[in-house]
């Protein structure tokens, strides 16, 4: 199904994020990157490490990715004419379900995408988060995100998406408000406490992410 295939794709992407988090935490934690290690890769070496797989993907994409045409137009021939495509799009836009999807895609970032430019300064100056600890918690967060994607794929794809969105949105905002408020008002200013939010929110974030991307 579309949901299962899409979740598998995001699982694969999250595994790559885990690898990148390990790379940054181990090899980009020197003094040059505001880290605590006495050793690390230079910026040129980092660029070289990323350039090698990028170059390899060029022939791999050209030679190993095959996408045969499967769309049949109204005249029975392969491929859609421009007018046929726009006609199909207009029919889709006029449907009630698609109208609600457009509303969600417009209102979700307007309401839920509100953020503050001070968040990074709160993390660094008030919570005192260091680079290595930040990367290690990000690594754990990515692993938990993978677990969340797997749970959605195996258990919750047939659950009401409205309920999943509602429960995860409320939970994520309540947890974020708790940790942020205690840090901002100097009740608890500890980097491990501040980063602990990641451990609690990654699994529900995964569920919210999957449903949101399926709607989009």
């Amino acid at each position: 199904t579309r949901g299962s295939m899409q979740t598998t794709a995001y699982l694969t992407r999250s595994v790559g994020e885990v690898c990148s988090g390990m790379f940054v935490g181990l090899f980009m934690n020197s003094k040059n990157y505001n880290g605590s290690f006495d050793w690390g890769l230079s910026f040129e070496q980092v660029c070289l490490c990323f350039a090698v797989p990028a170059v390899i993907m060029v022939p791999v994409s050209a030679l190993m990715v095959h996408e045969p045409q499967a769309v049949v137009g109204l005249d029975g021939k392969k491929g859609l004419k421009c007018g046929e495509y726009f006609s199909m799009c207009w029919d889709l836009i006029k449907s009630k379900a698609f109208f609600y999807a457009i509303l969600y895609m417009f209102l979700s970032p307007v309401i839920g995408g509100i953020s503050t430019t001070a968040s990074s300064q709160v993390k660094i100056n008030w919570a005192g988060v260091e680079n290595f600890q930040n990367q290690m918690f990000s690594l754990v967060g990515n692993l938990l995100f993978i677990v969340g994607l797997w749970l959605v794929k195996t258990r919750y794809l047939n659950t009401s998406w409205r309920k999943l969105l509602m429960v995860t949105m409320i939970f994520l905002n309540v947890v974020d408000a708790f940790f942020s408020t205690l840090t901002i008002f100097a009740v608890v200013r500890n980097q491990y406490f501040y980063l602990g939010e990641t451990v609690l929110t990654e699994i529900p974030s995964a569920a919210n992410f999957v449903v949101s991307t399926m709607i989009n």
Side-chain angles (χ1 to χ4, degrees), residues 64-132:
M64 301 182 65
V65 177
H66 303 283
E67 189 176 2
Q69 290 186 357
V71 179
V72 178
L74 298 178
D75 55 1
K77 298 180 180 180
K78 285 188 175 181
L80 286 173
K81 296 180 180 178
C82 184
E84 295 173 350
Y85 182 79
F86 280 112
S87 177
M88 292 173 59
C89 290
W90 178 244
D91 291 337
L92 183 62
I93 291 173
K94 290 190 296 183
S95 66
K96 183 178 180 180
F98 194 79
F99 174 74
Y100 285 133
I102 292 176
L103 279 180
Y104 175 81
M105 287 186 286
F106 176 76
L107 295 176
S108 180
V110 170
I111 299 174
I114 299 175
S115 60
T116 172
T117 56
S119 58
S120 60
Q121 298 303 317
V122 170
K123 175 188 285 188
I124 296 173
N125 295 322
W126 285 352
V129 176
E130 298 181 359
N131 183 47
F132 180 73

Side-chain angles (χ1 to χ4, degrees), residues 70 117 140 154 211:
T117 56
V140 173
T154 57
V211 176

Side-chain angles (χ1 to χ4, degrees), residues 16 30 32 38 61 63 100 139 155 172 179 191-192 201 204 206:
S30 63
N32 293 332
D38 295 325
S61 301
L63 300 176
Y100 285 133
L139 174 62
R155 295 177 180 270
L172 291 173
F179 284 91
Q191 62 176 335
Y192 297 103
T201 58

Side-chain angles (χ1 to χ4, degrees), residues 43-59:
F43 181 73
E44 291 79 6
Q45 292 171 326
V46 171
C47 293
L48 179 62
C49 291
F50 290 136
V52 171
V55 171
I56 293 175
M57 285 307 300
V58 175

